[in-house]
Amino acid sequence: MAADQEPGDPGSPRWFSRGVAGIGGASFLADLGHEIPTSLLPSLLTSVLHAPASALGLIEGISDAGAGLAQLAGGALADDPGRRRRVAVGGYTTTAVLSAAIGAAAAPWQAGILRAGAWAARGLRVPARNALLADIVPPAVYGRAYGFERAMDNLGAIGGPLLAIALIGLAGIRAAIGLSVIPGLLAAVAIIYAIRHTTAARARASQPVRIKIRPVLRGRLGRLMIGVSAFELGNAAATLLILRATNLFGPGRSQTGATQLALLLYVLYNLAATLISIPAGRHGDRSDPIRVLAAGAGCFAAGYAVFAAGPRQPWLLAAGFVLAGLGIGCGETAQSAVVAALAPVSLRGSAFGLLATVQAGANLAASAVAGILWTAVSPAAAFGFLAAAMIIAVPLVLASRRPVAR
């Protein structure tokens, strides 16, 4: 076997390195940090700050939209190989500080501003991180590399709720959110480690920062964005899943008990996403990542149908969380791998920025509409809308299929 081949996969280049490990570690620690406030935000808003469910949907939708706009700008910054490194470090640090500050919010609007700021900083760093990863692995194994990064991200999302469960019992909701700053700052250290083990950026003349959209949308990337938009229109914030489970578990349990049980099921969501990410990436490398994306939409639709039905049995809701986790694991891995493969190297940052903007714009619609339907009609109507959106997304995603250049 050649030295640059992956063990157990003849003919496939090696994809794992210290740089990849560092990026994966940063994703793990960052998610470990910001999943604590994410998991506890529904309880903070509705139980501590006495806000309605529509406030949660609005805050999450606005935050996702702000993150998308920030990622568009971050994509332009990340087109420069040297600048993308500074953006990545700054983004991880700022996200950690602002997310932890949510624990001190005295009103829903304060929590909303802090959440939006944290997500904007997170948005700035994402194209830089994704472009760094594409710099250090061969195109033939993009799926596995991005699958690993997504797996580590989702592994952190497993640890985050578990930490939240322990911390709210020991210190309460506000203190638990504040302590999330520790793993968040360690993520910034991990991305510095990754950068130090990545090939030095090639020196080039400084260029003005410009947001590039039209060049990115030419050819197959433009067709891909249609399918991505359809998928993300049904991809609402996971906090709505937690809130639905918390409400269903409420009768006969304390608020803390219902929240802890819902967070345990949310761990299953992230565990499913973690376990499927690398196999989904490998399958996409060997066949067609668009099929992986369509499969993710189908899993999401089935999971949302469970939440719409509203069973109170934990094992039935667990199935809904697992299906949704499979959906996000397949979807995120496939989208990143396809964009990395199709984007010109000089526009790689902009391509990832545009991808994130499309995701965020559709996520805003998904979360906001679901939140409004929840309050004005019923939770079942909210999840019925999301399930229908994912069902519609399947043929639209498949319609964007084109062979990916290797």
Side-chain angles (χ1 to χ4, degrees):
M1 182 177 64
D4 63 346
Q5 290 179 352
E6 183 182 357
D9 195 1
S12 179
R14 188 182 301 276
W15 60 270
F16 194 79
S17 66
R18 290 182 179 180
V20 172
I23 290 175
S27 292
F28 168 74
L29 289 164
D31 240 54
L32 190 68
H34 69 64
E35 279 294 335
I36 295 174
T38 295
S39 299
L40 298 178
L41 185 60
S43 293
L44 178 71
L45 286 173
T46 60
S47 300
V48 179
L49 301 178
H50 307 292
S54 58
L56 175 63
L58 185 61
I59 287 173
E60 292 294 76
I62 291 174
S63 297
D64 285 339
L69 293 175
Q71 286 181 89
L72 186 62
L77 291 168
D79 281 336
D80 183 286
R83 190 186 292 123
R84 71 176 59 138
R85 300 165 185 236
R86 298 189 294 273
V87 171
V89 175
Y92 277 100
T93 303
T94 305
T95 302
V97 173
L98 294 182
S99 291
I102 293 173
W109 65 267
Q110 294 175 358
I113 290 175
L114 290 168
R115 178 72 164 177
W119 250 225
R122 184 171 179 249
L124 280 173
R125 81 183 189 219
V126 168
R129 180 203 65 206
N130 288 342
L132 280 170
L133 188 53
D135 287 344
I136 58 179
V137 295
V141 290
Y142 279 155
R144 272 157 278 194
Y146 285 102
F148 171 75
E149 186 277 322
R150 288 291 83 201
M152 293 299 289
D153 182 274
N154 289 313
L155 188 61
I158 293 172
L162 290 175
L163 273 177
I165 291 170
L167 289 172
I168 60 174
L170 294 173
I173 291 176
R174 290 187 180 276
I177 295 174
L179 289 171
S180 69
V181 73
I182 297 173
L185 292 179
L186 289 175
V189 175
I191 201 68
I192 293 172
Y193 172 86
I195 290 170
R196 289 182 176 178
H197 289 88
T198 302
T199 303
R202 181 180 300 174
R204 70 186 220 182
S206 178
Q207 296 181 358
V209 178
R210 293 179 180 175
I211 296 176
K212 306 177 183 72
I213 297 178
R214 186 174 298 176
V216 174
L217 289 177
R218 290 173 183 161
R220 288 178 289 177
L221 267 177
R223 293 191 293 271
L224 171 68
M225 292 301 172
I226 297 174
V228 170
S229 298
F231 179 92
E232 296 297 336
L233 188 59
N235 184 12
T239 46
L240 292 175
L241 308 184
I242 299 171
L243 182 60
R244 176 63 161 156
T246 302
N247 290 346
L248 289 170
F249 292 146
R253 294 183 178 89
S254 67
Q255 178 64 36
T256 298
T259 299
Q260 289 176 327
L261 183 53
L263 292 182
L264 280 173
L265 296 189
Y266 182 50
V267 169
L268 292 180
Y269 167 93
N270 290 307
L271 180 61
T274 300
L275 294 177
I276 198 62
S277 293
I278 294 179
R282 184 184 296 274
H283 182 74
D285 285 336
R286 292 175 172 175
S287 58
D288 185 353
I290 295 299
R291 291 180 179 175
V292 175
L293 182 57
C299 289
F300 255 131
Y304 286 147
V306 174
F307 285 96
R312 296 187 184 277
Q313 298 93 330
W315 67 273
L316 285 175
L317 275 178
F321 274 100
V322 168
L323 286 166
L326 294 174
I328 197 67
C330 289
E332 290 183 341
T333 298
Q335 289 176 21
S336 295
V338 175
V339 169
L342 295 181
V345 174
S346 62
L347 296 175
R348 190 169 277 159
S350 290
F352 277 113
L354 182 59
L355 169 67
T357 303
V358 169
Q359 292 170 333
N363 291 160
L364 169 61
S367 295
V369 171
I372 292 170
L373 285 173
W374 185 311
T375 302
V377 184
S378 69
F383 285 101
F385 158 75
L386 295 174
M390 282 295 181
I391 291 171
I392 294 171
V394 172
L396 293 178
V397 166
L398 292 174
S400 68
R401 285 181 60 196
R402 291 292 187 278
V404 178
R406 295 296 184 194

